[in-house]
Structure formats: C-alpha cells, structure tokens
Amino acid sequence: MPIQTTEVINLGDVIINDNRTRVFVVNQLASGLLVCVQDKGLNLMGLALIALPDSTLVGDNQDSLPGKYADKAMPQLLMAYENKGGKLNESSVKMVGGAQLFSFGGGGGNILNIGSRNAIAVRASLSKYGLTVEKADIGGNKGRSVKIVAATGQVFVQLLGGREYLL
Amino acid sequence: MNAEQFIESIDQLPQLPQAVIRLTQRMEDPDVSADDLAEIIRIDPNLTAQMLRLCNSAAYGLSRKIDTVKDAVAILGFNTLKSMAYTIISHLSLKRDLPGYFLKSGDLWLHGVTGAFYARHIAQKHLPKPQKLDPELAFTAALLRDIGKIVLANQVGTNYAVIDRYAAHHQVGFDEAEKEIIGVSHTEVGMAIARKWQLPERMVLVIGYHHNPENIPAETPDSDKRLLACVHLADGLATLLGNGIGGDGMMYQLHYPSIIEAGLALDKGLLEVLMSELIDLQSQIETLTASIHLPPKP
C-alpha cells in the first residue's frame, strides 16, 4: 500500500492534485471556505481555501495572494482543473467552512458575516461554470478542521469541540 | 469565589522564572538601559539560549551571527529586545496543550503570536496619526491576553457542553458563559495571574478586558483604551481567520463603539482590507514561531 503524504492547506492556496496518495488537511478553518472539486473517477482534485469574497473591495495593491479572494480563486481553480484534463460536467463540488463570529455588540451592522458572503461568492462563481455544490457543511459559530483523502475522495469534517464525520 | 481566590486554589499555577519576572518589571522602568536588561537575561541560561536562538533566526534576518546577549542588545535595540523577551515569555506560558478548550500543544501560543502581529499591524497602519501608538507596545500587550485559559482549562473541559450551550442559547461570548457557569472567566483569571506576576498595568488591563473593552474602568488613560481596542480587534480577526482557535473560538462579540472610539473607522471595506493584509503576514508569523517553537518529537 503506498504511503500517504499529508499536506496542510493555508488560506489563499489553490491546489490541483492528481496524486492519490495525498491527504490534505485544514487545521483550523473559521470564516474561510474550502472548495473541493473532484472528478467522478477520483483521478483529479482541485482545492481552494478562500478567505474573502471580493478582491475589488481591497484594491489592486493588496493583491499579493490572489487565491484568497473568491472572485479570483474560483476561475483560477476551475481553469487549472480543466487544463489538467478535468471535466467539469463529470465533477462534483463540496464546500466546508464559512463560520462567523457573533455579530458586533453595540452597532456596526452585520459586516462580520464574511463566512456567509464567501459562500455566496463561491456559489455565484460556480454557477458561471454550470456547477452546483453537491455537499456542504457551512456557517455556524464554530471552527472546523477538515481532512480530504485523495484516494477515496472522502472529506472528513470535525467541528472544534465535536466529533469527526464524513461529509 | 472571585478570580484571585480561584487562582489561589489552583495547585499548578504557571510560574515564571525569577529572571523573567525581573525582566518584565525592569522593562517598564523608564530609566532602564539596554545593558541592564542584558545583565538580567545573562543570569538565566535558558532565557539567554532562547534569546540568542531567536536573534539568530530568520525572523530577524541579521547578517551576522550573534553570540552574546550584549551584542543582541547593541544590534537589535531596546524595543525589539523587549518584544523578543515577551515573545519568549509567552512561549514559556502558553505552549502547552489545553484539552478543555480543544487546543493542541502550540495552538494557544499561535493565537497569542498571531494576535500580536495583527495588533502591531493595526497600530502601525490603521490608527490615525493623532491617535498613534507604539506598534511594539501593541505587539507585547497582545501576546499574553489568553493566559487565563491555562488555569481555567480543566474547569472549562468539565463544563464545556453546558458553557457552549449557554453561549449559543444566549448569543453571548464564551467568556461570559464561563463566568455564568464556572463563576469566573478566563479574562478575569488572566488578569489575576498578570497581577500576581506583576506585569505592567496596561498589560493587566488588556488581558482582563480584551473581550469586553466597554467594561474597562472609565479613568483608564485614552492611550491604553486605544491599545485595548487594537488588541480587541486583532483578537477578533485572528479568530475569524482561524489562527489557534479552540472550541470557544468563534463565540465572540466584537464591540464596535470601542473600535470606532479608538479612531479605527471600521466598515465593510476596511475590514476586508485588513483581513487581506493580515493574511499576508502569515509567512512572518510562521518564521517567528518556527524559530522558537520546536514541534513535539513523534
């Protein structure tokens, strides 16, 4: 049996993987959103860990790591996935994360809902490519840790303080 | 039982080495010289070794190797030496695992260091000029903000489900739920520890009120209130970005008026700019933590 290698995914990472021995982990996922695109044959996987919904709010000079924005990461991910031979119409999408802090005390509106805005931005991007999210575990007020096994396509999620389960 | 009585009842209160306590006290003395600090550090071999290791790490990017504390002081200067000393103190204090909060070894320290980097960045880049603070002050003040968790972890572990349910049901911060269920919160306990360790008063206040800046005593100097607001926002953003968070992580309310009063015009745009900038600090944080925190042996 081949030895599995584990790779940690960080905010802003966009990864295309065709190595079935790989296991990917996100140790502490909060408002960030992990998007996982997989072909049905489990030969190719695309992963993006998004931190923010919209690069245009931030401006060009902040663009050091484009993968952290949904509007940049998603086209980058899906194009790289297709370039590597992935067929979007034969692929499924899973999405994990997007938690948020309790809202502001004493005013300030709801500007802290980055997690849910990330999810909206990702769904909008996916729909442009004719994709929908097949399985998702998003929202709430808890951080998560995530493990993705390339060989099986399984995505395991654990709420911090809870039990691990298969998405 | 109040926080002071609570920490008196704990057998294993975290202890700081004598040299570290002397160092923290002397660092607040306006007349202290860098040489005085070097003298205190030299007395403790462990502190000396850690300091030299950190000086020679990639985190400080010096072109030549530093062999003595005296050289370190001469090259790095007083403020950097002070930040470095508090970084080592925070590592000594926060590195352990805390199953009660679902934190693995190093997680709480990572949260401390990340918040410190963020607080420094906010103070440096986003406080308007009339309200400027020394960014290194923001860094050191943020490092030890969660020290109370070290002591409260066992009680939280035993009562986690109840505290968690209370916070979720009443939509209050986890620290408020701790207070309700256990009788004290980690911020109160942290403040009591900081007083016992004779840390500087503004650090005591930051530890005690970093979740609830609105409760800080009214007579607190404005500069300390701004410092607290920077740390409060940094703490919230470190949590939002998932750095060293535990089971309590996101049960947190940022207090908007305290942030605005500090001169930080936080709106949706600034929040996202800030988060974007803070993510870019990640490699600096990793360099620093890797140079001081050795991973546990397998």
Side-chain angles (χ1 to χ4, degrees):
Chain A
M1 193 174 171
I3 296 168
Q4 289 187 333
T5 54
T6 301
E7 188 173 323
V8 176
I9 310 176
N10 294 307
L11 286 171
D13 283 348
V14 175
I15 297 166
I16 302 295
N17 176 62
D18 58 1
N19 181 343
R20 291 170 63 100
T21 67
R22 284 259 172 86
V23 174
F24 295 92
V25 294
V26 185
N27 287 324
Q28 295 191 327
L29 182 59
S31 62
L33 198 69
L34 177 73
V35 183
C36 174
V37 187
Q38 292 173 298
D39 73 347
K40 299 275 196 281
L42 301 176
N43 294 311
L44 192 63
M45 178 183 277
L47 298 161
L49 186 48
I50 286 152
L52 293 161
D54 184 358
S55 65
T56 60
L57 271 178
V58 176
D60 284 337
N61 58 339
Q62 302 297 335
D63 205 0
S64 54
L65 192 60
K68 61 190 167 185
Y69 309 107
D71 62 331
K72 293 200 168 177
M74 292 310 295
Q76 186 186 339
L77 172 74
L78 298 174
M79 278 196 293
Y81 184 80
E82 284 190 306
N83 287 343
K84 196 83 180 168
K87 293 186 171 56
L88 294 180
N89 59 356
E90 294 173 14
S91 299
S92 66
V93 181
K94 291 172 185 166
M95 196 159 85
V96 184
Q100 64 186 67
L101 299 178
F102 289 163
S103 58
F104 270 122
N110 203 19
I111 66 171
L112 285 174
N113 62 350
I114 295 279
S116 58
R117 284 194 278 130
N118 280 337
I120 291 167
V122 166
R123 284 185 200 277
S125 265
L126 288 170
S127 74
K128 289 180 191 163
Y129 292 81
L131 290 167
T132 54
V133 177
E134 193 173 278
K135 287 183 178 175
D137 179 4
I138 55 172
N141 301 112
K142 291 272 184 189
R144 295 167 170 89
S145 59
V146 188
K147 185 170 76 182
I148 305 120
V149 183
T152 60
Q154 290 169 308
V155 176
F156 295 94
V157 183
Q158 184 175 19
L159 279 180
L160 297 179
R163 290 206 179 125
E164 184 179 81
Y165 68 94
L166 178 64
L167 181 66
Chain B
M1 188 187 288
N2 65 27
E4 283 76 16
Q5 291 163 333
F6 182 82
I7 67 162
E8 289 305 330
S9 73
I10 301 287
D11 293 334
Q12 291 177 321
L13 190 67
Q15 299 292 327
L16 286 180
Q18 230 13 66
V20 169
I21 292 176
R22 279 194 61 210
L23 191 63
T24 58
Q25 290 165 354
R26 293 290 281 149
M27 281 192 296
E28 293 307 307
D29 180 347
D31 297 325
V32 77
S33 69
D35 283 345
D36 294 337
L37 296 186
E39 201 54 38
I40 298 170
I41 295 165
R42 267 191 332 110
I43 291 167
D44 187 309
N46 189 29
L47 190 57
T48 303
Q50 292 225 47
M51 191 69 88
L52 291 177
R53 197 163 120 210
L54 196 53
C55 284
N56 289 309
S57 74
Y60 289 90
L62 299 177
S63 54
R64 74 173 178 91
K65 189 165 183 284
I66 293 178
D67 297 315
T68 66
V69 173
K70 203 172 172 189
D71 277 357
V73 171
I75 292 169
L76 294 168
F78 183 78
N79 281 347
T80 308
L81 188 80
K82 199 167 157 180
S83 295
M84 202 182 272
Y86 274 115
T87 303
I88 292 168
I89 293 167
S90 72
H91 183 246
L92 286 171
S93 319
L94 304 176
K95 63 186 173 184
R96 66 187 79 169
D97 65 327
L98 297 177
Y101 281 100
F102 300 94
L103 290 164
K104 296 195 286 292
S105 171
D107 281 353
L108 188 63
W109 187 57
L110 174 67
H111 189 61
V113 171
T114 304
F117 270 83
Y118 290 6
R120 178 166 64 188
H121 179 86
I122 292 166
Q124 199 162 34
K125 263 200 90 171
H126 293 282
L127 275 182
K129 271 208 177 111
Q131 279 106 353
K132 275 286 178 221
L133 282 174
D134 175 2
E136 290 303 322
L137 191 61
F139 184 91
T140 54
L143 275 168
L144 288 165
R145 64 192 187 280
D146 279 325
I147 185 67
K149 287 187 177 177
I150 297 283
V151 169
L152 208 58
N154 286 343
Q155 280 71 17
V156 167
T158 310
N159 297 284
Y160 180 80
V162 186
I163 300 170
D164 187 47
R165 232 180 359 256
Y166 184 92
H169 182 72
H170 296 278
Q171 290 281 293
V172 294
F174 197 84
D175 62 315
E176 203 174 322
E178 287 171 344
K179 169 101 176 151
E180 187 63 33
I181 305 299
I182 303 175
V184 285
S185 68
H186 76 272
T187 50
E188 290 174 317
V189 173
M191 193 151 66
I193 295 171
R195 289 228 158 92
K196 205 173 168 78
W197 284 355
Q198 300 175 46
L199 293 180
E201 185 58 18
R202 66 170 169 273
M203 208 177 246
V204 173
L205 291 173
V206 166
I207 291 170
Y209 297 100
H210 72 276
H211 282 282
N212 305 101
E214 68 275 22
N215 294 338
I216 196 166
E219 64 275 16
T220 306
D222 284 349
S223 59
D224 287 354
K225 287 181 182 167
R226 286 199 299 278
L227 177 69
L228 176 63
C230 286
V231 175
H232 176 58
L233 179 58
D235 187 39
L237 294 180
T239 302
L240 202 56
L241 289 169
N243 286 295
I245 55 172
D248 59 321
M250 306 202 67
M251 297 188 177
Y252 196 138
Q253 269 197 340
L254 280 173
H255 190 251
Y256 189 67
S258 301
I259 294 167
I260 296 297
E261 277 164 30
L264 294 157
L266 193 66
D267 58 8
K268 190 166 137 183
L270 177 60
L271 182 81
E272 296 195 19
V273 167
L274 247 180
M275 286 178 74
S276 178
E277 291 169 353
L278 298 180
I279 293 165
D280 291 341
L281 296 176
Q282 195 55 35
S283 62
Q284 289 179 43
I285 295 169
E286 281 170 14
T287 305
L288 179 78
T289 53
S291 61
I292 195 167
H293 183 67
L294 296 175
K297 288 178 184 162

